[in-house]
Amino acid sequence: MDLAYSPEEQAFRDEVRAFLAENLPDDMADAVKAGRDLGKETYDRWHAILNQRGWLAPNWPKEFGGCEWNAVQRHIFDEECSFAGTPRVVPFGLTMLGPVLQKFGSKQQQDRFLPRILSGEDWWCQGYSEPGAGSDLASLKTRAVRDGDHYVVNGQKTWTTLGQYANWIFCLVRTDPEVKHQEGISFLLIDMDTPGIEVRPIVLLDGTPEVNEVFFDNVRVPVGNLVGEENKGWTYAKYLLTHERTNIAQVGSSQAGLAAVKRMARAEMSGGRPLIENPHFAARLAQVEIDLMAMATTNLRIISQAAVGQAPGVEASMLKVKGTVIRQEINDLARRAAGPYALPFASEAVEGSNEPAAGAGPVSAQYFNNRKLSIFGGSNEIQRGIIAKVKLGGGK
Amino acid sequence: MNFDLTEERQMLQDTLRRYLADRYDTGVRNAILDSDTGFSAEIWAGLAELGVIGALFSEADGGFGGAGFDIAVVFEELGRAGVVEPMLDTAILGGGLVAALGNAEQKALVEDVIAGGAHLALAHGEPASRYDLNRVETTARTEADAIVLNGRKAVVANAEAAGHLIVSARESGAVDEPDGISLFLVPAGMAGVTLTGYPMFAGGRAAEVVLDDARLPASARLGAAGAAFPALETAVARAGVAMAAETLGAMHAATALTREYLLTRKQFGRPIGTFQALQHRFADMLIELEQAQSAVINAAGHLGEDAPRRDLHVASTRNLIGRVGRLVAEESIQMHGGIAMTQEYELAHIAKRIVMADHRFGDTDYHLERFIALSTAAA
């Protein structure tokens, strides 16, 4: 056992760090560190910077323009990005759809869509969840009926993250209502400009329209936009979910979040002393840091296995549960650290006029917004169910 | 032992609950949240007319209540309905302090408050004071027969709507000494007082208040010079009962919504309330809710006692309410799933109220420390 990174891995980290130091714009890093809402323009700018360096698609094979990094390299890259405060790379095209098209898409679909994902020409969003089908995704009802060389799509998707920016959506649709739930689902690529599509923003409890409802009213989609075979969409969806669950522990984000809490707790005063010296706050902080240190190693253990080709099983579910619980605990600590300054809605309102608390950022918004972490991508209840089923139910 | 409400309080509870059930739905509240003032003058007038404000003052001060259980009854209902109107700031804090310290002339304000005609705000906390009541850096300097205030007050709830700010300032003593703190009645719009307002995360508005050579007549002082601290502590203890009760009401609302959702939302072909993993967690919520109910009774019942014993109960109650509040808010959101994350759904507002209450006049950690200190001193 050797807990140190190899010299090659260390060299890679240095290379990433140097690149970030040179190429990440200060205004971008400031906005990320302050937890401000990032608009499309910021995501596009960062996307273009990474694309220029050829570092946009760590998980793609080289033949499609990816880096083909192994799991350890990807982890190092994510970690350095979190420390530096980069915007996240919008995952829908790059980490979700890309691998599906590479494995199951037609040559034509690959040639048409993959380069446009890299160039940023297309912004994809995900059409999985429906009002009646959240954690029970297979109960989805959006219908696609074949009509000549088109499918006619009717139904509604929801929780479509950043759908307001997207010009394409990949959807799970029901093409056969007569068979069992998981069968009869197809994977369809839909141009958001097609007549009959309406996108309505959902304002979340932190006041941001981060997600949307997408309505389909007799939307005609060319048959050529079907990925793989009709009624086999569940297979592709599951494949996509395994990719969504890479970097699921979000160790880098938690580490960056913890560092931010410490910065705040050094600046905030409590009883005439820095809050970080308050024994109760210090104990809470230490507790979550201890948990995070262990989880970082759990994460690396699983990543090392993945790097030599072993697919994670229930470990992915374990990382999702632990990772999100830790992240939410850090959000809670940040909220507490802000004290009375957690009350204002817009931190900008007090920024610049208030020295110690200005660094607090929109801590309450982040705390509430990140309640979603234990709900989406298969809720933590679903993950615990998977773990128990595999370990108790004689599964693999 | 008798845990029933008196007839008068029962009537007050019924009337207030009915009034709010009729008038204060999610749509109404969201419109109020979006407004420039952050509260509804119409609702405020309605509450005054129902006697809700009067119930928070003693007969000697022109009201017909003012005890711990009166406060608890009113605020539990306000919390249940998620009311954002500044009852705490105007009546309990502002009105309470004027009633406690004011001379006959100043006390005319209390009458206005009870009638619904005046709004007040307590400008006490400062950027570096966090939750410590004794830490006051703002200064009051006497010049001939004038008093000159300088300093900065943080997150002053209801400041913009208030006709008067009740501003704390130090006339003598070290920065964290209880002695030497005075309170002053500062009329809105006075020269030398600058407000920077903003909405609060869970509704209502607050402001940063900068005092730059604000000159007041000596008659603006409430009570004797440098002697306001005990009254401040009392007002904040009363506010502690109010906030605990309000959070309790909000937790009742969150639990009711969650129960409804567990019974109706179907996943995998059956109501999610039939899954044992959720049943046990809902059961835990109910157990903790009973604890919260008892804690509020404890604080309300001891509010009239001497300061150390009173504050011990307030601290224990607020610590427990803070812990249970976080549990109820987070579990309610989690069990609802995505729908709870949307602003237009009732639970979103209720959950925000519950969590944000922990940021006024001390959070769970602060009250834990305070409880340890007070119980150690008592032993």
Side-chain angles (χ1 to χ4, degrees):
Chain A
M1 211 161 286
D2 180 4
L3 293 184
Y5 286 96
S6 70
E8 294 76 23
E9 288 163 345
Q10 197 53 54
F12 177 70
R13 187 183 290 277
D14 294 341
E15 191 187 352
V16 171
R17 200 171 285 179
F19 166 78
L20 293 173
E22 197 152 317
N23 293 281
L24 173 65
D26 288 341
D27 66 311
M28 227 181 244
D30 290 346
V32 170
K33 283 183 176 161
R36 280 199 286 275
D37 231 11
L38 306 177
K40 181 172 190 293
E41 187 270 337
T42 305
Y43 289 121
D44 282 343
R45 242 162 87 212
W46 182 237
H47 186 105
I49 290 168
L50 286 178
N51 189 38
Q52 199 177 7
R53 179 65 180 82
W55 281 0
L56 193 51
N59 56 330
W60 289 18
K62 290 212 165 101
E63 57 168 311
F64 293 119
C67 318
E68 225 170 280
W69 285 339
N70 67 27
V72 176
Q73 286 173 304
R74 294 210 297 265
H75 169 77
I76 291 171
F77 183 72
D78 289 337
E79 209 169 53
E80 289 302 322
C81 284
S82 295
F83 292 151
T86 72
R88 68 172 181 147
V89 174
V90 178
F92 308 106
L94 281 161
T95 54
M96 295 182 181
L97 179 64
V100 171
L101 290 181
Q102 286 154 20
K103 192 164 171 79
F104 302 106
S106 66
K107 174 81 171 58
Q108 218 177 356
Q109 288 168 342
Q110 291 171 352
D111 290 347
R112 179 178 173 195
F113 292 114
L114 294 177
R116 291 162 62 99
I117 291 175
L118 291 179
S119 69
E121 213 168 332
D122 288 339
W123 183 305
W124 286 87
C125 62
Q126 183 183 41
Y128 272 29
S129 293
E130 297 184 6
S135 288
D136 182 12
L137 182 58
S139 67
L140 63 91
K141 291 197 171 60
T142 295
R143 281 283 275 140
V145 178
R146 183 80 182 252
D147 176 27
D149 52 4
H150 282 81
Y151 286 101
V152 180
V153 180
N154 280 286
Q156 181 194 345
K157 294 292 176 181
T158 192
W159 312 129
T160 310
T161 304
L162 301 182
Q164 68 268 39
Y165 301 148
N167 58 332
W168 281 84
I169 182 168
F170 54 89
C171 276
L172 290 179
V173 293
R174 188 159 296 288
T175 35
D176 186 348
E178 306 299 326
V179 291
K180 262 179 49 187
H181 264 167
Q182 276 92 339
E183 296 159 27
I185 290 172
S186 297
F187 195 103
L188 215 49
L189 310 176
I190 304 178
D191 185 340
M192 299 278 277
D193 287 332
T194 320
I197 297 182
E198 193 195 342
V199 179
R200 285 187 211 156
I202 301 174
V203 179
L204 294 183
L205 81 179
D206 63 352
T208 59
E210 187 179 39
V211 294
N212 301 267
E213 296 175 291
V214 183
F215 295 86
F216 299 89
D217 179 18
N218 286 318
V219 175
R220 296 183 68 81
V221 181
V223 168
N225 287 9
L226 174 77
V227 174
E229 288 177 55
E230 193 176 89
N231 296 332
K232 294 277 185 251
W234 191 250
T235 312
Y236 318 141
K238 276 202 307 192
Y239 182 77
L240 180 149
L241 284 175
T242 63
H243 280 269
E244 184 183 357
R245 283 176 193 155
T246 57
N247 189 22
I248 197 164
Q250 298 270 315
V251 172
S253 302
S254 284
Q255 286 169 337
L258 192 70
V261 172
K262 287 184 177 175
R263 275 199 303 276
M264 280 172 60
R266 278 188 211 105
E268 284 289 321
M269 299 299 281
S270 165
R273 304 175 69 86
L275 176 63
I276 202 157
E277 293 173 17
N278 175 294
H280 294 98
F281 192 84
R284 280 182 200 272
L285 198 61
Q287 212 80 102
V288 72
E289 185 163 7
I290 288 164
D291 287 346
L292 178 56
M293 285 161 73
M295 190 191 62
T297 299
T298 310
N299 191 45
L300 286 172
R301 281 163 56 208
I302 293 165
I303 282 171
S304 303
Q305 288 175 337
V308 294
Q310 293 170 29
V314 292
E315 292 85 355
S317 295
M318 292 178 174
L319 282 177
K320 158 110 208 266
V321 173
K322 199 71 211 173
T324 53
V325 167
I326 288 176
R327 184 92 183 279
Q328 289 175 335
E329 192 62 29
I330 291 169
N331 287 137
D332 185 70
L333 279 172
R335 168 177 76 74
R336 282 169 194 281
Y341 276 105
L343 292 165
F345 174 70
S347 68
E348 294 81 30
V350 286
E351 253 176 45
S353 56
N354 147 41
E355 295 70 48
V363 285
S364 300
Q366 285 171 351
Y367 164 81
F368 277 105
N369 187 282
N370 273 346
R371 300 315 307 166
K372 74 189 175 193
L373 297 178
S374 50
I375 295 171
F376 69 12
S379 71
N380 283 12
E381 286 75 23
I382 294 288
Q383 305 301 336
R384 289 187 183 100
I386 291 169
I387 296 165
K389 191 172 171 192
V390 170
K391 296 298 184 185
L392 291 172
K396 57 186 170 173
Chain B
M1 285 275 158
N2 175 8
F3 289 103
D4 296 333
L5 291 176
T6 59
E7 207 175 310
E8 290 80 8
R9 288 184 184 127
Q10 187 62 58
M11 222 162 73
L12 176 65
Q13 184 185 64
D14 294 344
T15 316
L16 180 53
R17 188 177 296 186
R18 213 166 33 240
Y19 174 80
L20 292 171
D22 289 347
R23 305 287 177 91
Y24 215 84
D25 62 18
T26 309
V28 169
R29 184 197 309 115
N30 283 348
I32 295 172
L33 289 175
D34 286 342
S35 68
D36 292 340
T37 52
F39 73 98
S40 156
E42 194 189 329
I43 296 286
W44 190 258
L47 292 173
E49 202 173 320
L50 286 181
V52 172
I53 305 175
L56 303 172
F57 292 88
S58 69
E59 282 181 40
D61 292 325
F64 49 87
F69 289 112
D70 298 305
I71 296 174
V73 163
V74 166
F75 278 86
E76 184 177 330
E77 293 313 314
L78 297 178
R80 198 183 292 271
V83 172
V84 300
E85 273 58 28
M87 192 62 76
L88 185 79
D89 307 291
T90 290
I92 298 285
L93 293 167
L97 283 165
V98 177
L101 294 175
N103 55 34
E105 203 178 319
Q106 291 164 332
K107 276 192 178 182
L109 248 183
V110 176
E111 267 175 62
D112 285 352
V113 165
I114 291 173
H119 270 287
L120 300 173
L122 172 61
H124 176 62
E126 299 179 356
S129 70
R130 201 173 172 84
Y131 302 122
D132 296 331
L133 286 182
N134 53 313
R135 184 166 294 273
V136 176
E137 292 181 33
T138 298
T139 56
R141 188 176 77 237
T142 306
E143 269 181 19
D145 52 359
I147 291 161
V148 184
L149 301 181
N150 278 288
R152 156 97 187 259
K153 297 293 178 179
V155 199
V156 181
N158 203 36
E160 297 159 300
H164 287 85
L165 297 178
I166 290 141
V167 177
S168 62
R170 182 168 292 288
E171 298 203 67
S172 63
V175 73
D176 57 352
E177 222 171 287
D179 286 342
I181 300 170
S182 297
L183 291 171
F184 300 93
L185 260 180
V186 176
M190 221 192 76
V193 182
T194 315
L195 271 58
T196 310
Y198 42 78
M200 286 193 284
F201 196 77
R205 289 180 65 81
E208 298 300 292
V209 178
V210 175
L211 304 147
D212 182 13
D213 277 339
R215 299 181 80 86
L216 294 160
S219 62
R221 189 189 284 115
L222 287 162
F229 192 71
L232 251 175
E233 277 197 310
T234 301
V236 170
R238 290 163 59 81
V241 171
M243 292 177 61
E246 179 187 291
T247 308
L248 174 67
M251 289 194 283
H252 275 299
T255 308
L257 286 167
T258 303
R259 178 178 181 276
E260 183 68 23
Y261 198 75
L262 290 173
L263 292 174
T264 51
R265 169 67 166 177
K266 286 187 178 166
Q267 293 270 271
F268 305 101
R270 52 189 174 122
I272 59 174
T274 61
F275 293 103
Q276 200 175 45
L278 300 189
Q279 288 175 341
H280 287 187
R281 285 158 57 186
F282 187 66
D284 280 339
M285 275 172 65
L286 295 178
I287 295 166
E288 294 303 323
L289 194 57
E290 290 302 323
Q291 285 281 88
Q293 187 91 54
S294 298
V296 169
I297 291 170
N298 283 342
H302 291 92
L303 192 56
E305 295 182 357
D306 60 81
R309 207 169 145 70
R310 171 196 74 194
D311 290 346
L312 180 84
H313 279 281
V314 171
S316 87
T317 297
R318 290 216 58 203
N319 171 266
L320 186 137
I321 292 284
R323 286 187 281 133
V324 177
R326 185 183 170 195
L327 174 92
V328 169
E330 292 183 356
E331 287 286 71
S332 295
I333 291 174
Q334 182 71 22
M335 288 197 247
H336 271 85
I339 185 74
M341 298 290 299
T342 63
Q343 192 169 56
E344 67 176 31
Y345 183 60
E346 180 74 4
L347 180 65
H349 175 76
I350 299 288
K352 285 192 275 189
R353 299 286 293 187
I354 293 171
V355 175
M356 286 297 113
D358 210 40
H359 290 274
R360 291 202 73 184
F361 300 108
D363 62 11
T364 48
D365 291 346
Y366 173 86
H367 286 292
L368 180 68
E369 286 171 15
R370 197 161 158 73
F371 179 82
I372 293 169
L374 287 163
S375 57
T376 313

